[in-house]
Amino acid sequence: MIRLHVEAALAAGQTIDATPGQAHYLATVMRRSAGDSVRLFNGRDGEWEARIAALGRGKAAFTVERLVRPQADDADVWLMFAVLKRDTTDLVVQKATELGVSALLPVFTERTNAARVNAQRLEAIAVEAAEQSERLTVPVLHPARPLHEALADWPADRGLFAAMERAEAPPLTPARSPAALLIGPEGGFGPRDCMLLEQCGFVRPVSLGPRILRAETACIVGLALLQAPGCG
Ligand code: SAH
């Protein structure tokens, strides 16, 4: 089953142009042809069965046929994470999307491993992971910015669980949404980061267990714990 994310509105009878990347994927990678069916979603109108109406070099169009899954509310969990090396950041975006996060907030901390992120690349990874994991939405990717800026305009109703290794913090347990998880960089949070976090009333330090996890592992484990079944 091929699932593709599109920007256009979805409704029966609509014709929608594919992006050149989607056309290439359908024709060359998946060897599909006109008449084959695909599923489309845009984050607003649910999931639709559609047919490939035309497929040529770098071009394709779909005809939208019928609604197969109505739009539903996703969990409302954000992941704020210190930007890591490129491949690891890619992995975090992919796994966090599979784990259902509604927003991704990359931040620069004292010991962040990279000076910038390629937002376009991360967006593409999130779209692909949303397609693959049968989500009906793609997480919102916020622009990367310093930790203090992200904390400065934090929404009052959202608790932020800051994962702190070696810190007598209580274990992370499932939370009702809206919630957010904060994971530090490979080198851990620095003293200035910690001071900043301590000053924020909405920050709750949490432990992910007795072992020191790599940042990417901590993201995956933390998101799973935060959303353990039966809560939220
Ligand atoms: N290099 C640091 C570890 C950083 S681990 C050191 O040796 O001390 C990277 C990030 O993962 C941390 O900033 C923290 O947010 C998270 N993390 C890793 N293990 C954790 C644990 N057991 N409990 C809570 N957070 C953890």
Side-chain angles (χ1 to χ4, degrees):
M1 175 55 59
I2 296 180
R3 291 182 86 242
L4 297 171
H5 178 262
V6 296
E7 295 294 339
L10 291 165
Q14 206 89 346
T15 302
I16 291 175
D17 287 331
T19 63
Q22 288 171 337
H24 170 80
Y25 173 73
L26 289 169
T28 314
V29 183
M30 301 306 287
R31 308 220 160 254
R32 296 301 147 118
S33 23
D36 288 347
S37 82
V38 295
R39 297 271 172 101
L40 304 179
F41 67 106
N42 62 7
R44 308 180 300 275
D45 302 324
E47 180 167 332
W48 290 74
E49 187 162 301
R51 219 157 275 286
I52 304 174
L55 186 56
R57 243 174 206 287
K59 273 186 156 181
F62 308 108
T63 310
V64 182
E65 293 190 333
R66 70 185 178 97
L67 181 70
V68 287
R69 206 150 55 108
Q71 192 69 35
D73 284 340
D74 281 338
D76 187 8
V77 174
W78 294 3
L79 175 66
M80 190 191 268
F81 63 101
V83 173
L84 304 163
K85 288 180 198 137
R86 193 183 79 165
D87 290 356
T88 329
T89 303
D90 289 356
L91 184 85
V92 165
V93 168
Q94 185 193 61
K95 299 307 166 205
T97 304
E98 288 173 39
L99 287 162
V101 298
S102 48
L104 291 156
L105 297 87
V107 290
F108 300 115
T109 59
E110 246 178 291
R111 302 179 184 141
T112 295
N113 303 87
R116 68 182 87 81
V117 295
N118 182 339
Q120 233 182 335
R121 178 192 167 81
L122 295 184
E123 184 71 46
I125 290 170
V127 166
E128 198 175 299
E131 290 172 344
Q132 178 271 327
S133 61
E134 300 198 357
R135 284 180 61 143
L136 288 172
T137 56
V138 175
V140 176
L141 176 66
H142 289 245
R145 54 189 187 152
L147 177 65
H148 69 86
E149 280 182 22
L151 295 174
D153 62 2
W154 191 257
D157 64 337
R158 187 176 296 268
L160 177 59
F161 297 97
M164 300 285 195
E165 71 281 5
R166 300 193 189 88
E168 305 289 303
L172 178 59
T173 51
R176 292 191 179 284
S177 53
L181 176 69
L182 170 62
I183 301 293
E186 266 168 38
F189 292 111
R192 267 178 288 135
D193 298 329
C194 290
M195 235 161 57
L196 260 174
L197 292 168
E198 276 165 27
Q199 286 163 5
C200 297
F202 50 84
V203 171
R204 263 157 282 168
V206 290
S207 165
L208 299 175
R211 288 166 299 277
I212 305 301
L213 307 174
R214 282 188 178 271
E216 65 273 29
T217 315
C219 288
I220 295 168
V221 169
L223 288 172
L225 288 173
L226 201 52
Q227 304 180 91
C231 300

